[in-house]
Amino acid sequence: ETGVTQSPTHLIKTRGQQVTLRCSSQSGHNTVSWYQQALGQGPQFIFQYYREEENGRGNFPPRFSGLQFPNYSSELNVNALELDDSALYLCASSFQGDKGNGYTFGSGTRLTVV
Amino acid sequence: GNSVTQMEGPVTLSEEAFLTINCTYTATGYPSLFWYVQYPGEGLQLLLKATKADDKGSNKGFEATYRKETTSFHLEKGSVQVSDSAVYFCALTGSQGNLIFGKGTKLSVKP
């Protein structure tokens, strides 16, 4: 089975720009979550998508938005980038209703905002 | 809300030493508990999990027991190797089905 793949692996953007990060979920998984991991910190939950709708959100402003597609892949969009948005962005997939099995994470996208 | 507190690092051990990384949690209900590991430059890998009280998760020589009475899920390994050097995260499920992580503990194992 294929794992979770994210693209791009690294990205440099300028403050105020917009960015789109992409994620393909693991085969058989129907839920995608996004996490932000600042340097030296644990990942923080951004939001989660199931059946193409957001069904959970952490403490992140509306300029963080997302999509889930019929094939369960997902995008994370961030508008009006700020320097503090520099972080590793992790995508995780799971099967709704089977949270006890945990989540499969991708290798992440390292975003640097200058 | 649910939260996790894990011991701060870094932790430096010699090869074959015994490892304990403490993790305690605060939660309503009965969350599942996890340990994830992150190797340098990589994403997170699930190391082990436990879904109910007194469950013991184990993998690659690592173990952790879901202790409801002490709200703990400490990670242990009897004999660490250099290849175990990584950052370890304790996590539990939140009310939205998300994961809530601790801040991570960096482990360095010296030969």
Side-chain angles (χ1 to χ4, degrees):
Chain A
E1 61 184 18
T2 57
V4 175
T5 56
Q6 293 187 241
S7 63
T9 54
H10 295 83
L11 202 53
I12 300 174
K13 288 287 190 178
T14 302
R15 189 172 50 183
Q17 285 188 314
Q18 177 266 344
V19 69
T20 297
L21 310 182
R22 294 179 174 82
C23 171
S24 295
S25 61
Q26 178 171 306
S27 175
H29 285 178
N30 57 14
T31 301
V32 175
S33 307
W34 287 90
Y35 291 79
Q36 181 195 66
Q37 186 179 16
L39 199 61
Q41 301 295 314
Q44 298 290 315
F45 175 59
I46 302 175
F47 46 56
Q48 177 172 280
Y49 277 81
Y50 171 63
R51 291 186 174 176
E52 303 176 47
E53 291 194 0
E54 184 182 297
N55 75 340
R57 190 176 186 93
N59 189 25
F60 280 82
R63 61 189 185 84
F64 286 78
S65 63
L67 288 172
Q68 185 184 31
F69 300 100
N71 65 354
Y72 306 123
S73 67
S74 177
E75 289 181 354
L76 163 65
N77 299 290
V78 186
N79 293 322
L81 283 167
E82 301 177 359
L83 297 179
D84 284 349
D85 295 334
S86 295
L88 180 68
Y89 287 85
L90 295 165
C91 172
S93 72
S94 61
F95 185 78
Q96 184 77 358
D98 195 17
K99 302 178 183 63
N101 268 330
Y103 298 73
T104 301
F105 281 83
S107 297
T109 295
R110 174 74 62 187
L111 172 65
T112 302
V113 182
V114 298
Chain B
N2 294 1
S3 65
V4 173
T5 303
Q6 65 180 103
M7 67 184 281
E8 304 225 354
V11 174
T12 302
L13 296 173
S14 297
E15 206 164 22
E16 299 184 2
F18 184 84
L19 168 72
T20 300
I21 301 178
N22 290 337
C23 172
T24 57
Y25 67 90
T26 302
T28 54
Y30 303 95
S32 295
L33 301 176
F34 307 88
W35 278 99
Y36 280 84
V37 59
Q38 188 173 37
Y39 297 100
E42 298 185 12
L44 298 172
Q45 297 178 24
L46 178 63
L47 181 60
L48 54 83
K49 61 177 169 63
T51 57
K52 62 182 187 297
D54 299 325
D55 266 4
K56 176 185 282 189
S58 61
N59 186 25
K60 300 180 181 179
F62 291 89
E63 293 183 341
T65 301
Y66 192 142
R67 300 282 189 202
K68 194 170 186 299
E69 64 276 13
T70 55
T71 61
S72 65
F73 193 56
H74 304 321
L75 182 67
E76 296 182 337
K77 186 175 185 182
S79 177
V80 293
Q81 305 300 311
V82 172
S83 57
D84 294 327
S85 298
V87 181
Y88 292 82
F89 293 94
C90 184
L92 54 68
T93 46
S95 59
Q96 301 184 80
N98 56 303
L99 286 174
I100 298 170
F101 289 89
K103 293 186 176 181
T105 302
K106 183 176 181 179
L107 170 66
S108 295
V109 181
K110 307 297 184 186

